[in-house]
Amino acid sequence: SDRWHISSSPDVCSGKPCVTGTRIRVQDIYIWHELEGRSVDEIISEFPQLTSADIYAALAFSWDHRQEILDQIKRDAEIIVSLKARQSSSRP
């Protein structure tokens, strides 16, 4: 049965595009495959709820919305840096 592989919902991962029915974000699949060089099979072995069609749909979505995905990755990295800086400055 065919289904939509990618969806966005305000109550799932702050509305970021995810594989439908999961909390796995398109940007995560993009990072794993494109930046870390993991194969589709490696991703599926770690996340067996995903199908190869899910992964290819996420990759296609990431290429269709490349700047949006890259901006999300950059914002998330900036948030992490900011949180780490705040934690280290609050230590006695």
Side-chain angles (χ1 to χ4, degrees), residues 14-44:
S14 305
K16 290 178 180 161
C18 292
V19 175
T20 302
T22 75
R23 298 183 66 80
I24 299 172
R25 302 173 303 177
V26 167
Q27 71 187 68
D28 297 325
I29 293 173
Y30 175 87
I31 289 169
W32 299 331
H33 190 270
E34 299 296 320
L35 304 182
E36 296 178 358
R38 294 192 213 176
S39 70
V40 171
D41 288 340
E42 287 171 328
I43 296 169
I44 290 171

Side-chain angles (χ1 to χ4, degrees), residues 43-78:
I43 296 169
I44 290 171
S45 72
E46 197 168 332
F47 300 93
Q49 68 269 42
L50 296 177
T51 65
S52 56
D54 290 331
I55 294 169
Y56 286 116
L59 292 171
F61 185 96
S62 72
W63 285 103
D64 286 345
H65 303 270
R66 185 164 164 70
Q67 196 55 55
E68 173 190 338
I69 296 299
L70 292 175
D71 288 347
Q72 287 173 359
I73 292 168
K74 183 177 178 213
R75 271 195 306 276
D76 285 359
E78 289 168 351

